[in-house]
Amino acid sequence: MKPSSIVEFVRDTYQTNDFIPLHAPTFDGNEKAYVMETIDSTFVSSVGKFVDEFEHKIEAFTGTAKAVATVNGTAALHAALYMAGVERGDFVITQALTFVATCNALYHMGAEPIFVDVSPVSLGLCPKALERYLEEHAELTEQGCFHKGRKQRIKAVVPMHTFGHPVELDELIALCHKWQLALVEDAAESLGSFYKGQHTGILGEFGAVSFNGNKIITTGGGGMVLCRDLEDGKRTKHVTTTAKVPHPFEFYHDEAGFNYRMPNLNAALGCAQMEVLDSYLAQKRVLAARYEQFFASSDIRFVTEPSYAQSNYWLNAVICPDSEMRDALLAGTNDAGVMTRPIWKLMHRLPMFANAPRGDLTQSEFIEAHLVNLPSTPVVLAD
């Protein structure tokens, strides 16, 4: 299939000859009204009604016990890992096929990643690869799970729901239970995705969501920690608000905390976006079906949701038959003003994580060389 035919299809879908971004924010609801309300009230920072309201909306939508708003998704993941007990010098198992923020959160808390392979179905952490790595390299002691060679504690597992496609959580949860590991879901990309009827980010001990400008809904910058346990949620809220003990006028902080509070200004935007989230999800599923039908008779494979899940199809993706076609597709579409992107460089190819322990990454390397993301902004289409 020629890049020109894909360009034509995308332009016909979006009904424009202008530049088409990969995923642009859409503001067609109460965003301006709510943001202006915060400005008029002067409560634009971390105190204001929209922060609480946004947290409650996320709790109701996802089914989590407690949602805690943060300044961005990386801060949410950092706080989630902290609450899960990850400490300096610990290992955390994750996927090499992820956005760098996953590993940056580990780096800045003094933990180290271990990379295992991903599933060709979900594009996220593969339970079989995780099991193989643990059986070969880990051992259980009275103090927990340790790496045989490095003698460092392995504390947690962080799967990432790549492009909104849920990983095989039941299998991962069982392995974490067996090996005494905390499961923290990197759900940055998967707001609106469901695993066997349950929202992503709420099956692990903690989950982290992102509301960056390119996500399915945005607060400009922002994130959310999803807490399975209500008491953990209360403590997460405490430590992310500088661990300040409530008092009418005294400043007293009972532990070292984080200044990760989401401003009311951003939360106002999020509240308005939540009002149209269901519409966006419906539009994106129709768009994904249109892509799937278009590529069905070609040698390019459209990435569909796993059979056990309902994906938000945050970013639509295709797998090209070879890297040459991938490169031609990327060049041809971008030259024509249709933004497409390859998947991220694998984390062990980056200098700061080059020496991290890793298992066999055959599937990750294949996807890295063959995948292309296509424009995925929600658009109203006829079924």
Side-chain angles (χ1 to χ4, degrees):
M1 179 176 286
K2 295 181 179 180
S4 58
S5 63
I6 298 173
V7 169
E8 183 180 354
F9 172 79
V10 173
R11 292 205 174 283
D12 179 65
T13 296
Y14 283 94
Q15 299 183 356
T16 181
N17 289 318
D18 296 334
F19 172 76
I20 299 176
L22 189 66
H23 197 292
T26 303
F27 305 118
D28 49 14
N30 289 312
E31 289 86 357
K32 288 183 180 179
Y34 292 172
V35 170
M36 285 305 301
E37 183 178 336
T38 69
I39 294 173
D40 291 340
S41 72
T42 73
F43 287 99
V44 297
S45 191
S46 57
V47 177
K49 72 171 189 178
F50 286 110
V51 178
D52 290 339
E53 183 179 338
F54 189 37
E55 290 176 339
H56 294 328
K57 284 179 178 290
I58 292 293
E59 288 165 2
F61 184 81
T62 64
T64 192
K66 175 65 178 173
V68 179
T70 60
V71 69
N72 56 48
T74 306
L77 184 58
H78 185 188
L81 290 163
Y82 175 85
M83 287 297 302
V86 175
E87 299 177 351
R88 180 172 297 276
D90 284 344
F91 275 133
V92 173
I93 298 176
T94 190
Q95 53 202 69
L97 190 78
T98 188
F99 183 57
V100 70
T102 307
C103 295
N104 281 345
L106 298 174
Y107 179 88
H108 289 294
M109 63 193 310
E112 297 181 62
I114 294 174
F115 299 124
V116 301
D117 213 355
V118 296
S119 161
V121 176
S122 70
L123 309 184
L125 197 68
C126 176
K128 293 179 180 178
L130 175 60
E131 184 174 31
R132 284 194 299 268
Y133 189 89
L134 288 169
E135 289 180 348
E136 184 175 349
H137 298 284
E139 59 183 353
L140 275 176
T141 73
E142 293 182 357
Q143 288 74 41
C145 182
F146 281 78
H147 192 280
K148 290 179 183 177
R150 297 276 291 269
K151 305 302 180 184
Q152 291 171 250
R153 183 174 68 159
I154 305 175
K155 178 57 182 177
V157 173
V158 179
M160 200 265 287
H161 302 294
T162 308
F163 307 141
H165 299 303
V167 298
E168 298 165 271
L169 283 164
D170 283 345
E171 292 83 353
L172 292 175
I173 290 169
L175 285 169
C176 286
H177 179 76
K178 176 182 178 180
W179 289 91
Q180 299 177 22
L181 301 169
L183 181 69
V184 176
E185 295 177 61
D186 186 342
E189 303 172 357
S190 65
L191 182 68
S193 296
F194 293 82
Y195 171 81
K196 297 183 179 180
Q198 291 185 280
H199 197 281
T200 53
I202 70 169
L203 282 84
E205 294 180 31
F206 298 92
V209 179
S210 172
F211 305 110
N212 187 37
N214 67 349
K215 296 301 187 292
I216 189 165
I217 67 167
T218 185
T219 57
M224 194 79 73
V225 185
L226 306 182
C227 307
R228 189 174 65 188
D229 179 81
L230 181 58
E231 291 305 313
D232 283 342
K234 292 177 180 178
R235 175 164 157 71
T236 303
K237 184 73 170 180
H238 180 64
V239 299
T240 56
T241 53
T242 69
K244 184 180 182 297
V245 177
H247 190 278
F249 52 84
E250 292 286 355
F251 290 92
Y252 182 75
H253 307 260
D254 58 4
E255 61 180 302
F258 307 104
N259 189 11
Y260 281 171
R261 299 169 294 184
M262 175 184 284
N264 196 42
L265 194 73
N266 299 84
L269 194 63
C271 287
Q273 291 268 284
M274 284 297 293
E275 294 174 355
V276 293
L277 175 57
D278 285 339
S279 173
Y280 290 170
L281 289 167
Q283 291 172 36
K284 289 175 78 65
R285 290 190 68 80
V286 175
L287 176 61
R290 184 176 170 92
Y291 273 129
E292 183 179 9
Q293 183 179 17
F294 175 73
F295 288 106
S297 59
S298 76
D299 53 357
I300 297 176
R301 177 174 70 85
F302 180 73
V303 178
T304 58
E305 64 192 2
S307 60
Y308 54 77
Q310 179 175 315
S311 174
N312 66 3
Y313 283 102
W314 171 56
L315 286 186
N316 292 291
V318 292
I319 304 293
C320 297
D322 52 57
S323 57
E324 290 76 18
M325 179 175 284
R326 184 205 75 149
D327 293 345
L329 174 55
L330 287 166
T333 51
N334 283 284
D335 286 348
V338 173
M339 183 184 288
T340 60
R341 287 292 182 265
I343 203 165
W344 319 280
K345 292 286 186 185
L346 297 183
M347 292 297 100
H348 69 282
R349 302 197 196 282
L350 305 182
M352 54 283 198
F353 306 119
N355 296 320
R358 59 183 181 269
D360 177 78
L361 299 176
T362 299
Q363 189 62 45
S364 302
E365 292 167 351
F366 176 86
I367 294 170
E368 178 191 39
H370 293 77
L371 186 139
V372 174
N373 286 125
L374 304 170
S376 302
T377 304
V379 58
V380 178
L381 297 166
D383 288 319

